[in-house]
Amino acid sequence: MATASVSGSREKELWRRLGEVNDPELDEAITEMGFVERAEVKGDGNVEVDFRLPTYWCSPNFAFLMLDGVRKALDQLSWSPAYRVKLHDHMFAEEVNRGIEVGRTFGDIFAELAEDKDIDTLRETFSMKAFKRRQEAVLRGLREHGLTDHEILGTDLTAYDAVRFAPGEAAVQKPRYRAALLERFPERQAGDPVFVTWEGRQIAPAALSAYLAELRGVRVNMEFNGALCRGLKQTRYKELDVVDGEPTLVDFIMDRVPARSAPAV
């Protein structure tokens, strides 16, 4: 009985850790995207993870960033297990899996495969997009909350933590934006403004609407890529269950096409 309890607890921890790894381009959890096909704690405590991307030709840069995130997540497991991560149905799966089997790191393997050798620059680009997407959701939420632009941009970390949103996108992104802000600006003090640009500049209240329009462009692009990615994966792997109510790529496009007026009779 105790063994079953330990096993169940470890399974939950495993999936929780994997759920903290994001697709770098979409800023969505790889578990939500369905990229983790199987994650299992074996009887001896070791861990096996099967990983599958939506297309055969997914950029090796993206694959590296996600698999490196998986590695870091597994390294944080409380019982420090040995683990095996296997990439399936990808143009570099053979090279990646063979390299892992002989003990090479993801960094060593992908250094030879990556299209862009400056992975750190690519990682920062995706971090910037995630920062902006999360920030936009919270800014819109505060406007809907009834705050003026001046009040919003004067919000410090203490006031930010006191805000309570109804369930929705702003509530989801509030803690995620806080994490992104402090990762970007670790020296941030409790009394400092929470809403600044990626470069750390103050945002003038009169400029907030234009700034939000810029952020919206980032979000729409990421949402479109996410819808496309889900559609490709569902088309490629028919056995995956479609989540009830999840929008398709067509739904996403049609939702953004202005409705045409009926022709005059």
Side-chain angles (χ1 to χ4, degrees):
M1 196 70 175
T3 302
S5 176
V6 169
S7 177
S9 174
R10 287 178 171 180
E11 288 278 357
K12 288 180 181 178
E13 182 183 346
L14 171 60
W15 281 100
R16 178 175 62 81
R17 287 294 184 187
L18 291 174
E20 294 170 353
V21 182
N22 291 329
D23 177 309
E25 184 182 28
L26 308 177
D27 193 36
E28 296 186 38
I30 59 173
T31 50
E32 294 294 324
M33 294 299 296
F35 297 161
V36 180
E37 189 167 83
R38 183 179 69 94
E40 183 180 352
V41 180
K42 308 299 287 184
D44 58 4
N46 292 340
V47 170
E48 293 183 358
V49 175
D50 290 321
F51 195 80
R52 194 187 302 268
L53 292 166
T55 67
Y56 180 79
W57 56 87
C58 252
S59 165
N61 295 330
F62 295 178
F64 166 74
L65 291 173
M66 282 183 270
L67 288 170
D68 196 49
V70 169
R71 176 190 62 79
K72 291 175 181 176
L74 298 179
D75 281 341
Q76 293 176 34
L77 291 171
S78 61
W79 69 99
S80 303
Y83 54 79
R84 176 197 61 74
V85 180
K86 189 168 185 179
L87 177 63
H88 294 272
D89 296 336
H90 186 269
M91 60 182 173
F92 292 122
E94 185 177 342
E95 291 90 336
V96 171
N97 295 329
R98 186 189 311 118
I100 293 171
E101 285 176 4
V102 298
R104 299 182 70 197
T105 66
F106 287 126
D108 290 339
I109 297 166
F110 280 95
E112 300 171 2
L113 304 176
E115 300 150 350
D116 182 349
K117 300 302 182 183
D118 194 351
I119 290 291
D120 288 338
T121 298
L122 184 65
R123 197 191 301 271
E124 182 171 359
T125 297
F126 289 139
S127 295
M128 175 188 67
K129 291 181 178 180
F131 177 96
K132 290 182 175 182
R133 182 181 186 182
R134 298 175 190 186
Q135 186 187 65
E136 189 235 10
V138 180
L139 286 170
R140 285 189 295 115
L142 290 173
R143 272 188 164 184
E144 292 166 5
H145 221 50
L147 275 68
T148 66
D149 290 355
H150 188 273
E151 290 170 331
I152 291 170
L153 295 172
T155 302
D156 61 20
L157 200 55
T158 301
Y160 183 86
D161 289 340
V163 172
R164 295 292 179 266
F165 289 117
E169 184 67 7
V172 170
Q173 298 296 353
K174 180 174 176 272
R176 301 184 80 224
Y177 173 65
R178 189 187 198 280
L181 176 74
L182 295 181
E183 181 178 351
R184 176 67 175 167
F185 304 107
E187 74 287 353
R188 215 80 188 154
Q189 301 297 312
D192 292 337
V194 169
F195 299 109
V196 294
T197 67
W198 174 254
E199 296 78 19
R201 294 193 300 269
Q202 295 284 103
I203 306 164
L208 182 57
S209 291
Y211 180 68
L212 278 168
E214 174 193 330
L215 299 188
R216 180 181 181 276
V218 174
R219 170 175 55 84
V220 170
N221 179 264
M222 293 174 76
E223 287 178 348
F224 181 87
N225 287 340
L228 179 61
C229 197
R230 288 187 181 90
L232 288 169
K233 193 170 193 303
Q234 289 169 7
T235 299
R236 188 180 185 201
Y237 306 114
K238 298 291 187 181
E239 72 275 10
L240 292 179
D241 293 329
V242 177
V243 178
D244 290 340
E246 182 177 324
T248 64
L249 178 59
V250 173
D251 294 328
F252 179 88
I253 294 171
M254 294 306 295
D255 185 51
R256 282 155 177 75
V257 175
R260 294 186 178 181
S261 302
V265 178

